[in-house]
Amino acid sequence: MARPSSSWQIRRLRLMQMAAHWAGVLMLTAAPAAIGQAAEWGPETMQPIAVVQGLDKITARISTITVAVGDQARFGTLWITPKVCHKKPPEEAPEAAAFLEIDQQKPDEPRYRLMHGWMFASSRGLNALEHPVYDVWLVDCKKPDTSAQSPSSG
């Protein structure tokens, strides 16, 4: 890397170094708590459906996307695939976490991975997808709604 030659380049480099340092500190303090939450959840907290929301920054519209674990849902040029979804029982502090894979596929281009990792409903800024056109975050994990499938009596 070339040495900075002007004072504004030196200041910019120092600011970038400070930002990288504090971003690292923030991740070191926030990530263990989030990872610990996911680690203490077991099969009894698993839910078959993930509910995510996506913001299209071009149209300023928010869409709610409901997708079963293992299935894929399309949001614009993004493909969202939940691999696992957990929700704490009602007697505990409310929290939902999902391991998501988000790919992008533009027309006439191959699909590529934008992110894969845990998203937490209570900490939307921790691991939400930030994209030039779309933002995606986890809202909830839930069981299928069986009330709409039950036969009506009458």
Side-chain angles (χ1 to χ4, degrees), residues 77-96:
T77 61
L78 304 181
W79 287 93
I80 302 166
T81 308
K83 294 297 186 180
V84 67
C85 207
H86 289 275
K87 184 175 183 175
K88 293 262 183 161
E91 62 271 6
E92 294 185 28
E95 178 62 286

Side-chain angles (χ1 to χ4, degrees), residues 63-136:
S63 300
T64 300
I65 303 141
T66 303
V67 58
V69 171
D71 287 347
Q72 295 182 343
R74 187 165 184 143
F75 175 62
T77 61
L78 304 181
W79 287 93
I80 302 166
T81 308
K83 294 297 186 180
V84 67
C85 207
H86 289 275
K87 184 175 183 175
K88 293 262 183 161
E91 62 271 6
E92 294 185 28
E95 178 62 286
F99 190 88
L100 299 175
E101 291 179 348
I102 301 179
D103 300 335
Q104 181 167 10
Q105 185 175 22
K106 295 179 182 177
D108 301 324
E109 291 185 19
R111 186 186 291 198
Y112 63 94
R113 177 84 17 101
L114 290 176
M115 75 142 318
H116 64 280
W118 288 97
M119 282 191 186
F120 296 87
S122 66
S123 303
R124 292 191 176 149
L126 180 62
N127 229 11
L129 173 74
E130 294 180 16
H131 180 274
V133 179
Y134 306 107
D135 283 349
V136 175

